Amino acid sequence: MQKADLRRYLEQVYPSPELEQWFDPLIVRVNRECREIHIAFPHVFFAGRFRDKVRMGFENHCLPLLQGWSLRWSEPERVPAPARRASRSEKPRTGDLPLERHTFSSFLHNRKNDFPLAAAKACAGNIGNPPYVPLVIYGQSGAGKTHLLGAIANEAREHAPDYRFFCGPAASLPAGEHFEAVFLDDLQRARKADLQERLVILLDMMAATGGAFVCTIDAPPAASGLASGLAQRLGAGLVVELKKPDLDVRRRYAAGLCETYGLDAGKDAALSLAQRCMDFRAIDGAVNRARAYATLVPGREAEPVDILNAGPDQRVLTPEQIILTTARFFSLTPEHLTGKSRDKTTAEARRHAVTLCRELLGLSLPQLGRIFGGRDHSSIVYTIKKFKEIQSGNKDMHNTHARLKQMCLTPSP
């Protein structure tokens, strides 16, 4: 009697893909002298889920084959919880993210990212029985995916300190180790075929027996360029999009960062920085330049604040500049955009300008109404709504808007 004999027998009842999920990971040792079969588990979490969902059916189906043999189960020992949490000054374990600064409380967001945040908190708070396996968080670079992943892992460790965790870059997931909770960053970089195959096996096992699997990626699984088998398994979980931070979130982030590092930037500098830097990493870079200037060029205290403006001319973007840039692009005058004209070209240009003022400056609807010729609230709402409807199915309009945005953010020579 060998493990292979058991598997061949079970294939009469269970399909092979199902056995790959819960039978193949089992550790089976056979003692012919005692006619005893000893079965052990790869880790604690696997054992619990196997006992609850698979063991009874497994034993019942094996009874005819195991006549005269005894079956003994071995429960794995739990890994003891660490005596203390590592201090901030200690180097994190290899592959780990710096979790101490990644928390839900420090994750800045607004309503458009309520869903991914709620999904992240649900996963972190139910690590022993995760509601979604896997949880896939995708979005553009600089949207805050790494922060949210670290926040999940950070809180999950509070709920299950004795679980075996891996939290780090997907490409550094170690081979030959078993984890009860896996948090992988930048999954799009896991390009090696053997690594993707290991991830497929890991996802299948966790889907059958339980375990937390959370990952970040820069695009939806189907468009990620990963192998089809892995992309399909990721797509079968909960896939949520983390959208890039808007102006208000970026402004709050910039202001908080300046306060943390003792840069007395003020509201205008934080707003200017948020207008020019479209994601958190760009803001980090601007603040780091200001910090370096303050440290390396002593005695010139005022100038680091100017560096935060992130432009050689230190200008602050205004609605007038957006309107002028848009009007020139469409061979119009600013008066066309703020006036009553409704011809096709003017209406399209006005939609771009209104939306850009909303996106880049965070202006309120009443403010936009006053700037664009005294229009009322409902007119501005309709203009923005109409723009989004047209843009969603028009690639040329999407590209035009991206080009206009870049022109507004780039200082004129």
Side-chain angles (χ1 to χ4, degrees):
M1 178 71 66
Q2 297 293 336
K3 183 177 181 180
D5 299 324
L6 273 176
R7 198 186 199 287
R8 282 192 292 270
Y9 183 81
L10 291 171
E11 284 176 352
Q12 302 175 36
V13 181
Y14 299 99
S16 183
E18 188 173 336
L19 293 175
E20 291 176 1
Q21 296 172 4
W22 61 262
F23 179 79
D24 290 355
L26 295 175
I27 303 166
V28 179
R29 300 185 181 92
V30 178
N31 188 326
R32 294 182 180 277
E33 294 182 2
C34 302
R35 295 183 64 81
E36 180 182 79
I37 298 176
H38 178 204
I39 299 180
F41 301 100
H43 54 74
V44 175
F45 199 79
F46 189 105
R49 301 291 291 186
F50 185 94
R51 181 175 55 250
D52 295 341
K53 295 189 174 185
V54 182
R55 179 170 169 173
M56 182 177 294
F58 171 80
E59 290 179 336
N60 290 337
H61 288 304
C62 287
L63 281 176
L65 180 67
L66 299 179
Q67 290 183 4
W69 289 75
S70 61
L71 191 63
R72 184 163 66 90
W73 301 93
S74 177
E75 296 286 342
E77 295 183 0
R78 286 185 173 271
V79 178
R84 61 179 180 85
R85 182 178 292 276
S87 69
R88 291 177 182 267
S89 60
E90 290 178 338
K91 186 177 180 180
R93 186 166 59 88
T94 301
D96 274 5
L97 297 173
L99 298 182
E100 287 80 2
R101 62 187 180 90
H102 292 156
T103 64
F104 288 125
S105 61
S106 62
F107 180 73
L108 297 178
H109 74 290
N110 56 7
R111 291 183 60 184
K112 69 180 182 180
N113 280 326
D114 277 351
F115 181 41
L117 180 61
K121 288 183 175 179
C123 181
N126 297 276
I127 196 66
N129 186 24
Y132 316 108
V133 181
L135 172 61
V136 181
I137 304 169
Y138 79 91
Q140 298 179 42
S141 177
K145 301 187 298 297
T146 298
H147 187 130
L148 193 56
L149 180 78
I152 300 172
N154 197 27
E155 183 161 320
R157 280 181 169 171
E158 298 290 339
H159 290 280
D162 54 345
Y163 276 17
R164 294 200 62 187
F165 280 76
F166 176 83
C167 183
S172 64
L173 178 67
E177 294 189 38
H178 296 286
F179 299 98
E180 294 151 308
V182 175
F183 306 89
L184 302 180
D185 197 26
D186 290 329
L187 193 61
Q188 73 277 1
R189 296 180 181 175
R191 293 297 179 184
K192 293 184 178 180
D194 62 332
L195 174 56
Q196 293 195 32
E197 183 61 30
R198 282 196 287 122
L199 290 173
V200 167
I201 295 172
L202 177 62
L203 281 166
D204 285 344
M205 186 178 71
M206 286 186 164
T209 62
F213 187 105
V214 185
C215 67
T216 67
I217 193 168
D218 63 356
S224 64
L226 297 174
S228 60
L230 178 56
Q232 289 171 3
R233 285 163 174 79
L234 294 173
L238 177 60
V239 181
V240 296
E241 179 184 8
L242 188 64
K243 297 180 180 178
K244 294 197 76 167
D246 63 10
L247 180 72
D248 179 62
V249 174
R250 298 196 306 271
R251 180 193 59 78
R252 286 189 283 144
Y253 181 77
L257 209 58
C258 290
E259 182 179 355
T260 298
Y261 293 116
L263 297 174
D264 187 15
K267 292 183 179 179
D268 291 340
L271 177 60
S272 175
L273 183 59
Q275 289 170 353
R276 285 171 170 75
C277 301
M278 304 308 292
D279 57 56
F280 294 135
R281 288 197 180 100
I283 295 174
D284 288 339
V287 172
N288 281 333
R289 287 194 298 274
R291 291 173 58 205
Y293 189 93
T295 302
L296 301 175
V297 188
R300 300 168 70 174
E301 293 79 4
E303 294 182 27
V305 176
D306 296 333
I307 294 175
L308 290 173
N309 289 329
D313 61 356
Q314 300 177 7
R315 69 167 187 165
V316 175
L317 190 62
T318 65
E320 291 74 21
Q321 289 170 331
I322 292 176
I323 293 171
L324 178 61
T325 299
T326 307
R328 286 177 174 174
F329 184 87
F330 285 92
S331 301
L332 301 171
T333 66
E335 289 73 23
H336 281 98
L337 274 62
T338 58
K340 303 298 182 182
S341 178
R342 295 185 179 180
D343 65 88
K344 184 177 179 180
T345 301
T346 303
E348 181 182 353
R350 185 181 295 122
R351 293 187 195 107
H352 280 286
V354 170
T355 306
L356 285 169
C357 286
R358 181 74 166 170
E359 291 176 344
L360 299 180
L361 304 180
L363 298 179
S364 67
L365 298 177
Q367 286 175 318
L368 290 171
R370 289 192 294 270
I371 291 168
F372 285 87
R375 287 175 165 79
D376 59 24
H377 174 276
S378 59
S379 177
I380 297 297
V381 170
Y382 175 80
T383 299
I384 296 175
K385 182 179 179 181
K386 187 68 175 178
F387 172 83
K388 292 181 178 179
E389 288 177 356
I390 299 174
Q391 186 193 38
S392 63
N394 190 321
K395 186 176 180 180
D396 290 338
M397 187 173 181
H398 178 84
N399 293 338
T400 296
H401 192 69
R403 185 178 175 187
L404 280 169
K405 181 181 290 186
Q406 186 60 41
M407 291 170 64
C408 291
L409 295 171
T410 303
S412 301

